Amino acid sequence: MAKKKGLTKDRLIWMYTQMVRIREFESRVKRTFVEHPGVIRGHTHLGDGAEATIVGALATRQDNDLAMPSYRCHGYPLVLGTPPRKMMAEIYGRKDGLCGGFGGSMHLADPEHHFPGTSGIIGQAITHATGAALTAQVKDTGQVIYCFFGDGATKQGAFFESLNLAAVWKLPIVYILENNYYQAYTHVSLEDANYIAGDPLSKKAQAFSIPGVTVDGTDPLKVYATVQKAVERARSEKGPSLIEAKFHRLSAHGNAITVPPVPTQFPEHEAVEVYGKKAEFAAAIKNDPIPKFRASLLRKKILTKEDAQRIEEKARAEMEDAVQFALASPLPADTEALKHVYA
Ligand SMILES: Cc1ncc(C[n+]2csc(CCOP(=O)(O)OP(=O)(O)O)c2C)c(N)n1
Ligand SMILES: [Mg+2]
């Protein structure tokens, strides 16, 4: 394994804490569909399973660096310091949300915490993040841009155009390809769906003569070590890298509810629902990054069981508070409906 530079005991505990906070936040989003039907309108997409990749990558950040993911975006701002209250209120469409309730789950934005914003357009994060990296270079801010996107996004023209320009201009950006094996309901492999060519996907970096590495995205320390190298390269003006982190998402592609709400039955996962691959999904659950990291920290005596429980209880209380805050926040007034419409 590559050198784990700068990972003190406190830092490792911080990493575990962030992973637990993300999982707890998202479990509360999911529970909302059942406990408060109709409160979340529209789609949400959970990133459970991605925590090791998100936290491993963002643990290498310096203060002003930006994180720009796709629409599966709840985990990143939690790590950057965005208050969960404001995130939950946004997902509930409430006035006290990050965007005044206008954005919802797929459009979280918190520039104050280095999170410029997300959208539901696949591949969008790649062009926007590449633009942000150009700004950082032109203004000489010293920032590195962390750009996250899915396996499905790598077949968009935007992917090739952006990587080309980033390589030509040596932009300070790290492209983190989250290969969760599925593009919505379609499996990534040639045998199953024949929608994406190239294996491993990190090989696409060769076309631009930039480093391309595939890493176990369920191991935050491996992700950390790999991203760290890419960040050093970006910060020393040598240009971009492509890192493919592999992990399964542990929920279905998305959750949505109709208005007025009807009783919701959540799909399990496309591996089971569409492909009947029960063994694949069972293996993914067994390989859940959070219990795995917990066990390794206990084994190395970085955490005691009591420490771990305290972290988990604190996350539960924090996210319960976020839910209560969001439920108490009013919907935006009707008179605000046209506020952000320009034409
Ligand atoms: C430009 C565009 N095309 C199609 C869609 C419909 N769509 C929504 S999610 C999705 C799959 C994306 O898969 P991937 O990039 O692997 O991300 P993941 O959902 O696995 O995180 C697609 C095709 C879209 N939102 N935007
Ligand atoms: Mg995917």
Side-chain angles (χ1 to χ4, degrees):
M1 197 200 295
K3 202 171 132 202
K4 289 170 232 153
K5 200 167 134 194
L7 283 176
T8 58
K9 181 179 168 183
D10 282 354
R11 197 64 175 155
L12 291 166
I13 295 173
W14 177 86
M15 287 171 85
Y16 180 67
T17 305
Q18 301 315 311
M19 288 168 67
V20 169
R21 289 178 70 238
I22 297 173
R23 179 67 60 90
E24 183 59 24
F25 182 87
E26 295 215 289
S27 83
R28 295 311 301 261
V29 172
K30 196 169 179 178
R31 270 172 56 187
T32 302
F33 285 98
V34 180
E35 291 173 355
H36 307 288
V39 161
I40 298 178
R41 298 173 182 217
H43 265 87
T44 62
H45 305 84
L46 304 184
D48 44 352
E51 296 89 348
T53 293
I54 298 171
V55 175
L58 293 182
T60 65
R61 257 183 91 243
Q62 287 184 8
D63 277 351
N64 286 324
D65 296 341
L66 305 180
M68 299 180 70
S70 74
Y71 60 96
R72 205 178 285 286
C73 60
H74 304 155
Y76 315 81
L78 286 170
V79 180
L80 299 179
T82 298
R85 281 180 161 200
K86 300 198 83 174
M87 290 175 57
M88 199 65 85
E90 186 57 40
I91 293 168
Y92 288 11
R94 305 300 170 107
K95 191 167 169 279
D96 297 302
L98 283 173
C99 308
F102 284 84
S105 162
M106 282 192 273
H107 306 104
L108 300 182
D110 185 11
E112 195 191 320
H113 289 98
H114 308 98
F115 192 72
T118 57
S119 91
I121 300 168
I122 306 303
Q124 152 274 323
I126 310 178
T127 47
H128 287 192
T130 304
L134 178 59
T135 304
Q137 186 184 64
V138 170
K139 292 191 170 173
D140 200 14
T141 63
Q143 286 166 302
V144 169
I145 315 303
Y146 292 67
C147 171
F148 299 85
F149 50 91
D151 42 280
T154 65
K155 60 185 182 29
Q156 298 285 68
F159 170 81
F160 297 95
E161 295 170 38
S162 299
L163 266 71
N164 182 64
L165 279 181
V168 168
W169 291 335
K170 296 193 180 349
L171 297 183
I173 184 162
V174 180
Y175 294 104
I176 300 160
L177 190 180
E178 299 178 330
N179 182 353
N180 59 12
Y181 301 89
Y182 285 83
Q183 175 198 262
Y185 314 105
T186 309
H187 195 278
V188 75
S189 83
L190 290 171
E191 159 213 349
D192 282 307
N194 200 10
Y195 88 80
I196 195 161
D199 183 33
L201 296 180
S202 59
K203 220 157 85 178
K204 292 178 194 287
Q206 285 178 14
F208 308 103
S209 302
I210 62 171
V213 187
T214 298
V215 64
D216 176 359
T218 69
D219 182 335
L221 304 186
K222 285 187 184 152
V223 174
Y224 176 87
T226 309
V227 173
Q228 177 75 34
K229 277 193 203 150
V231 169
E232 277 165 18
R233 178 180 149 84
R235 220 179 298 280
S236 56
E237 301 179 4
K238 293 192 182 116
S241 306
L242 175 65
I243 293 164
E244 177 193 18
K246 295 182 90 165
F247 57 84
H248 272 86
R249 62 173 151 72
L250 302 175
S251 283
H253 169 65
N255 296 310
I257 200 156
T258 52
V259 179
V262 294
T264 311
Q265 247 223 312
F266 293 113
E268 195 175 11
H269 188 281
E270 286 67 31
V272 176
E273 307 277 334
V274 183
Y275 295 91
K277 292 182 173 199
K278 285 197 170 152
E280 178 188 316
F281 187 57
I285 296 282
K286 211 170 154 206
N287 199 29
D288 183 335
I290 294 182
K292 241 179 25 170
F293 192 43
R294 186 189 206 266
S296 104
L297 294 179
L298 291 178
R299 214 169 36 242
K300 293 177 193 158
K301 302 206 186 310
I302 286 164
L303 273 184
T304 64
K305 254 196 179 144
E306 293 70 37
D307 293 334
Q309 276 163 4
R310 219 171 302 124
I311 289 168
E312 289 143 15
E313 273 159 28
K314 209 170 153 202
R316 274 197 289 277
E318 185 187 18
M319 302 317 165
E320 170 64 23
D321 170 76
V323 167
Q324 294 312 323
F325 174 84
L327 287 173
S329 172
L331 289 167
D334 292 353
T335 50
E336 304 264 282
L338 297 179
K339 197 171 165 190
H340 303 291
V341 178
Y342 295 102

